Amino acid sequence: MAFWSKIAAALKKTKETIKSKMTTLFKKELNDAFYEELEEILISADMSVQVAMDVVEELKCEVKAEKLKHKEDVENLLKDILEDKLLQAPTPIIQYPAVFMLVGVNGVGKTTTIGKMAHYFNSQKKTVTLAAGDTFRAAASEQLSVWAERANVRVIKHEEGSDPSAVVFDAIRSTKARGTDVLLIDTAGRLHVKENLMQELKKIDRVVHREWPQANYYKLLILDSTTGQNAIQQTKIFNEAISLDGVVLTKLDGTAKGGFVFSLCDALQKPVFFVGVGEKIEDLELFDAEAFVEGIF
């Protein structure tokens, strides 16, 4: 299945939330009531109030400036504006060798996402190593090992309760020695309000910078799409701790709140690297702004 088809399927719930409302709206006259209702529809899909207001104001100004009358032209203009919001933080081109540190709160699908990322890079003919940096959760390294086997990649792990930074240190040494293209670092899930756990992430971060300064290093927050606007607060706090490079969206197929992604890219200036579009190991794709907007509308 092509990515556009996959993301369209994943965004089905979000689309269902707003499509019928949009269809009804675009049958109405282009007046103040039209724009007020459009703003309400965007907010209903969990777009932040500020971003929704900005989108509607920009649309109103451009419709007036270009003297648009046809509803199809207005709808296409709306899509362009929304795509521009996503492109405020464009997904960067990944350079190699690459190190990814994956962080997030408990239950967002972090280990599963790492397995999917391993499969993705392997399918791109890149060599991959996983670092089992979650040494606290029972059987976490075993779960990661299962994903490593499914993706046909190596995994570096220590005993349960070991220092996560020591695992990362060994993984970096091994990855460099073998000339591996990609290192994916798993970390323990943590509440973003726990300062001691945030300090642990900072320690891992320092190890990566110290031991492999030449690597292209990406710190990604795994976000459960079903949390909607709550994901924005998580992003802010993790970013304060380790200066995030972007996010990965999971469970996009289980939410009607896809609108929060516009706030993420526009207001927080954090790009989406990957998006989970299903449960299978191959159901992870590079984010595409145009496909995302088309999937909603």
Side-chain angles (χ1 to χ4, degrees), residues 154-289:
R154 292 194 313 133
V155 60
I156 306 296
K157 58 184 178 180
H158 288 189
E159 294 181 356
E160 186 177 325
S162 301
D163 182 357
S165 297
V167 178
V168 173
F169 178 88
D170 286 351
I172 290 174
R173 288 293 178 92
S174 176
T175 300
K176 290 170 65 177
R178 288 175 174 245
T180 304
D181 298 312
V182 179
L183 174 62
L184 301 174
I185 302 171
D186 190 14
T187 60
R190 62 204 67 223
L191 294 172
H192 50 289
V193 295
K194 295 292 185 180
E195 177 60 27
N196 60 321
L197 295 178
M198 286 300 188
Q199 291 300 324
E200 181 185 276
L201 288 183
K202 293 178 182 179
K203 183 179 178 182
I204 295 174
D205 186 38
R206 290 194 297 271
V207 169
V208 176
H209 280 293
R210 184 185 71 229
E211 297 301 321
W212 203 357
Q214 301 86 2
N216 299 281
Y217 181 28
Y218 307 96
K219 291 166 279 186
L220 304 184
L221 175 65
I222 311 300
L223 288 174
D224 181 338
S225 299
T226 64
T227 61
Q229 282 294 315
N230 289 334
I232 303 300
Q233 185 62 20
Q234 287 182 29
T235 305
K236 288 179 178 178
I237 294 175
F238 275 96
N239 187 55
E240 289 173 0
I242 59 170
S243 187
L244 295 169
D245 294 291
V247 303
V248 179
L249 302 178
T250 68
K251 308 177 187 177
L252 190 63
D253 54 324
T255 185
K257 300 178 177 180
F260 84 91
V261 180
F262 295 97
S263 306
L264 191 73
C265 295
D266 182 58
L268 296 188
Q269 295 288 296
K270 294 300 173 187
V272 180
F273 275 62
F274 294 94
V275 56
V277 292
E279 297 180 359
K280 297 178 182 178
I281 194 170
E282 65 269 18
D283 288 340
L284 186 84
E285 300 283 350
L286 285 174
F287 184 72
D288 184 287

Side-chain angles (χ1 to χ4, degrees), residues 5 13 16 19 28 32 53 59 93-94 97 104 116 139 155-156 162-163 176 189 194 198 201 222 234 241 256 286 293:
S5 299
K13 289 188 177 181
E16 287 174 348
K19 183 61 177 178
K28 299 179 179 180
D32 287 343
M53 289 173 61
L59 179 69
I93 297 174
I94 296 168
K116 290 180 177 181
V155 60
I156 306 296
S162 301
D163 182 357
K176 290 170 65 177
K194 295 292 185 180
M198 286 300 188
L201 288 183
I222 311 300
Q234 287 182 29
L286 285 174
V293 172

Side-chain angles (χ1 to χ4, degrees), residues 62-112:
E62 292 198 29
V63 167
K64 184 177 180 180
E66 297 179 25
K67 299 180 180 179
L68 299 180
K69 300 295 183 183
H70 297 293
K71 302 299 171 64
E72 183 178 340
D73 293 334
V74 176
E75 187 171 7
N76 287 333
L77 177 57
L78 174 61
K79 290 179 181 180
D80 288 342
I81 292 171
L82 290 172
E83 186 178 338
D84 286 344
K85 292 295 181 186
L86 296 178
L87 293 175
Q88 290 297 311
T91 303
I93 297 174
I94 296 168
Q95 304 290 330
Y96 303 94
V99 177
F100 292 86
M101 179 166 73
L102 291 308
V103 303
V105 300
N106 294 301
V108 295
K110 183 160 45 58
T111 304
T112 300

